Amino acid sequence: MEKAIIQTEDLRFSYTDTDAQEGAPLVLDGIDLKIAPGSFVAVLGHNGSGKSTLAKHLNGILLPSGGKVYVQGMDTADEEKLLDIRRAVGMVFQNPDNQIVANVVEEDVAFAPENLGVPSAEIRRRVDEALAMVGMSEYAAHAPHLLSGGQKQRVAIAGVIAMRPNCIVMDEPTAMLDPVGRREVIETVKSLNQNYGMTVVLITHHMDEAAQAGRLVVMAQGRVVLDGPPREVFAQVERLKAVDLAAPDTVELCWQLRQAGLEVPLDGLSDEACAQVLYDLLRRQRA
Amino acid sequence: MEPILETRQLSHIYSPGTPFEHNALRAVDLTAYRGEYLGVIGRTGSGKSTLIQHLNGLLKPTSGQVLLNGTDIWSSKEATRAARFQVGLVFQYPEYQLFEETVYKDIAFGPKNMGLDEGEIDRRVREAAAFVELDDEILEKSPFELSGGQKRRAAIAGVIAMEPSVLILDEPTAGLDPAGVERILGNIQAYHRARNATVIIVSHSMEEMARTADRLVVMHDGAIPFQGPPREIFTHAQELEEMGLGVPQITRVFQRLRALGAEVDPSVYTVAQARDAILAALGKGAV
């Protein structure tokens, strides 16, 4: 594997101060993860699995109780490096309303670079570019509160892009959006990754979103339980069920057909792939 | 079937006579029957929240009527009051409205306002808590000590404790993980069955509604273009996609399967139906 942009080593974390207490519950219990530059990694898990806690470690919002987190080789526990770390890894959160500070879209996007002391001509360039990257250029002069949820979340993403991070970590960015808003945000995320080479870590509990990533990490009880391409991870239906996660409906259907004694592969993840698997099954059995 | 709640030519205009004038509801005729589990689906801005706020008299129609058991809820003070108590409304993210010192007191707030005696209030609080699976120990806690899912359930219990004959919930599963979604839907189902209560759920999740509701009402642009059983609704896949709603993944897979040339039931929308349809096509019968 090439050099990781983010790396965790035996990362452990507890919200209570556990130095003294033995046996206090660990929210993260020994996470070893390497995020490759330019990759699109989804982290899937249910509430309490530790996925949001993990996200907050990736740019030093939280610091490990044990183990290490490195961002481009910098230890997140090193206070002197914190600004550089935050510039390298930007965060987008669940609620777009909590992330928008200005009354005009382009001013909101300019907020972070202004605070970084970027010269104004450069700010202009970055804002225009960031809005173009999320497909919101035509809304530059709009008031954010009149935008839809998906549009607001794209503005929040643009605000992070304007800092020119190498990696964006998104903590359930679509949880509060309707299906159209969700699609807008996920398309934006994919475009940032594919067209601009941005490293993306997407924390989600939506399986259909996780399925879009290049790599899927499944968390349960503070540990990584599955890690691989979505097609392979989702095919492990029993292991997903064991940690109270369901497989996507497409895979679940094929799995149930297998339980009924049919020979069906479990890698038909997308609509197209699943339809093809079913078609082949029907044709084979008739022949 | 006996109608319990009806709207007749219900229209609502926000900010009439100003530049912000907006026709949120356009002559909506809707009937909810006693004991029915109804799903209202529409994207953000379709008018669904405006509609449900009329159903217990929180908003007054610009024109048209809302009838509860055949009586216009605005015909007298008593009728309006009856609507407020008989039609329970759970807002989006209701957990933000918890305010009392203990969960018990919070759930008791509604029954208290109804002027019930101590013994009856206690019975209702405990029954409501049982419906949402909160045990006695939790009742004595501060709402702020609870997990997100528990808070949501406590807020729903506060409305259930008023024992409404119509329970309306606006996006009750928003932002929850799959396990949390199943639990809340199960709790609502339990109340629905035990009391033969009418349940109206507002959602933008087609999958969720398809699994739970007897009948679906599709809202778009302040009107109801389609209503009926899920199977019937999902035959309008194309129009639903154009409204930004989409159909369940399994329905999409089966459409593709038909396009490939397989003769399968086009109105399938759950994994179980799909499995049975495939087994039937293979001549194995349902399992």
Side-chain angles (χ1 to χ4, degrees):
Chain A
M1 192 169 177
E2 51 188 316
K3 205 164 152 40
I5 186 164
I6 300 175
Q7 182 168 1
T8 72
E9 282 177 3
D10 191 26
L11 169 60
R12 278 164 289 126
F13 182 78
S14 169
Y15 280 100
T16 43
D17 193 6
T18 50
D19 282 346
Q21 297 164 259
E22 289 273 320
L26 283 173
V27 182
L28 296 178
D29 189 4
I31 307 269
D32 288 297
L33 213 53
K34 280 184 184 168
I35 307 289
S39 61
F40 176 8
V41 181
V43 179
L44 182 70
H46 54 73
N47 293 350
S49 62
K51 62 189 194 301
S52 287
T53 304
L54 172 65
K56 294 191 180 89
H57 277 84
L58 303 184
N59 76 343
I61 293 174
L62 290 175
L63 296 176
S65 307
K68 288 284 180 197
V69 178
Y70 297 101
V71 170
Q72 296 178 343
M74 298 176 282
D75 185 341
T76 59
D78 182 349
E79 250 181 76
E80 305 216 321
K81 293 278 177 8
L82 196 57
L83 256 181
D84 291 330
I85 288 167
R86 295 261 163 89
R87 273 181 215 186
V89 178
M91 284 279 276
V92 174
F93 298 96
Q94 203 179 83
N95 190 344
D97 292 319
N98 294 348
Q99 299 171 77
I100 289 176
V101 292
N103 296 322
V104 181
V105 166
E106 62 181 5
E107 283 177 15
D108 189 81
V109 177
F111 181 78
E114 272 171 3
N115 279 300
L116 294 174
V118 175
S120 55
E122 169 70 9
I123 291 178
R124 180 77 255 167
R125 226 157 49 85
R126 287 196 189 188
V127 168
D128 291 345
E129 187 187 85
L131 284 172
M133 284 165 77
V134 300
M136 287 292 291
S137 299
E138 56 179 307
Y139 294 92
H142 280 56
H145 71 275
L146 294 175
L147 301 178
S148 73
Q151 290 171 333
K152 279 192 251 189
Q153 197 60 296
R154 280 148 70 201
V155 170
I157 294 171
V160 172
I161 293 173
M163 286 191 285
R164 294 274 168 87
N166 295 323
C167 175
I168 297 192
V169 177
M170 309 205 190
D171 191 3
E172 302 196 36
T174 65
M176 301 180 86
L177 305 181
D178 74 357
V180 176
R182 277 177 58 192
R183 208 176 306 152
E184 283 173 18
V185 168
I186 293 304
E187 287 310 314
T188 302
V189 169
K190 280 164 69 179
S191 156
L192 290 177
N193 176 252
Q194 285 163 11
N195 302 332
Y196 300 93
M198 184 93 68
T199 310
V200 175
V201 179
L202 174 70
I203 313 288
T204 182
H205 55 240
H206 288 296
M207 281 164 310
D208 50 339
E209 291 174 7
Q212 318 265 336
R215 174 182 171 199
L216 174 56
V217 173
V218 178
M219 286 189 65
Q221 287 164 345
R223 293 202 171 99
V224 172
V225 290
L226 290 165
D227 184 354
R231 218 159 48 104
E232 289 170 21
V233 167
F234 282 133
Q236 315 228 20
V237 179
E238 279 95 353
R239 292 189 65 185
L240 287 169
K241 286 181 196 274
V243 294
D244 276 337
L245 285 167
D249 281 353
T250 45
V251 179
E252 174 71 23
L253 171 59
C254 294
W255 184 77
Q256 288 195 12
L257 289 170
R258 258 162 100 118
Q259 298 301 104
L262 295 167
E263 288 263 335
V264 192
L266 290 179
D267 58 359
L269 180 56
S270 66
D271 296 359
E272 298 83 354
C274 182
Q276 192 61 50
V277 164
L278 296 176
Y279 183 68
D280 294 344
L281 170 74
L282 290 168
R283 214 175 37 181
R284 200 166 59 232
Q285 301 277 332
R286 286 228 179 91
Chain B
M1 280 197 300
E2 185 193 346
I4 183 163
L5 198 55
E6 295 164 83
T7 70
R8 295 213 178 133
Q9 294 292 300
L10 177 64
S11 294
H12 193 87
I13 303 173
Y14 284 111
S15 315
T18 75
F20 302 105
E21 182 170 307
H22 173 58
N23 275 301
L25 294 176
R26 305 161 191 267
V28 169
D29 286 319
L30 173 73
T31 304
Y33 297 93
R34 193 172 297 281
E36 177 178 46
Y37 199 111
L38 191 65
V40 178
I41 295 185
R43 56 168 308 199
T44 313
S46 61
K48 56 197 193 322
S49 292
T50 304
L51 173 67
I52 59 169
Q53 288 180 62
H54 280 87
L55 300 182
N56 78 341
L58 280 181
L59 285 177
K60 211 170 175 173
T62 305
S63 64
Q65 284 182 306
V66 179
L67 308 181
L68 176 62
N69 294 313
T71 307
D72 187 327
I73 65 168
W74 294 101
S75 61
S76 68
K77 266 194 174 159
E78 291 70 38
T80 311
R81 192 174 155 84
R84 299 251 160 87
F85 288 147
Q86 279 190 48
V87 181
L89 185 53
V90 180
F91 287 102
Q92 257 183 64
Y93 300 100
E95 57 274 23
Y96 294 145
Q97 295 163 45
L98 296 170
F99 65 98
E100 276 282 12
E101 281 163 45
T102 66
V103 173
Y104 185 98
K105 284 187 186 170
D106 214 292
I107 299 175
F109 182 77
K112 238 182 201 164
N113 278 340
M114 295 171 81
L116 302 171
D117 66 54
E118 288 285 316
E120 177 65 8
I121 292 174
D122 187 67
R123 180 189 70 77
R124 287 188 174 210
V125 171
R126 292 187 191 280
E127 273 192 28
F131 274 120
V132 299
E133 301 173 86
L134 293 176
D135 54 34
D136 285 352
E137 194 193 325
I138 285 181
L139 288 179
E140 297 315 315
K141 286 191 175 176
S142 158
F144 303 104
E145 289 174 59
L146 308 187
S147 74
Q150 287 172 329
K151 278 188 207 168
R152 175 86 48 100
R153 285 184 278 133
I156 293 174
V159 176
I160 285 182
M162 296 173 74
E163 302 191 346
S165 44
V166 181
L167 179 62
I168 305 177
L169 304 103
D170 193 357
E171 301 279 359
T173 62
L176 297 179
D177 68 343
V181 168
E182 288 315 310
R183 188 156 198 178
I184 293 255
L185 290 178
N187 294 157
I188 296 167
Q189 195 71 258
Y191 181 73
H192 167 66
R193 293 219 175 102
R195 292 290 151 77
N196 192 34
T198 304
V199 168
I200 302 178
I201 295 197
V202 172
S203 175
H204 47 235
S205 168
M206 278 288 186
E207 253 98 358
E208 223 173 276
M209 287 296 97
R211 276 190 293 123
T212 49
D214 304 325
R215 200 158 63 90
L216 297 179
V217 170
V218 177
M219 288 215 66
H220 183 64
D221 205 10
I224 300 178
F226 307 116
Q227 53 180 318
R231 268 183 189 265
E232 218 175 283
I233 296 293
F234 296 135
T235 58
H236 300 286
Q238 182 74 37
E239 293 103 312
L240 292 171
E241 295 271 4
E242 280 162 18
M243 291 173 194
L245 283 169
V247 293
Q249 185 175 29
I250 287 295
T251 307
R252 294 200 306 264
V253 170
F254 264 54
Q255 283 174 343
R256 285 187 182 273
L257 191 51
R258 283 174 66 83
L260 288 171
E263 279 169 42
V264 286
D265 182 353
S267 65
V268 159
Y269 60 89
T270 66
V271 171
Q273 290 168 354
R275 178 198 61 204
D276 293 347
I278 295 286
L279 292 176
L282 291 169
K284 288 202 167 193
V287 278

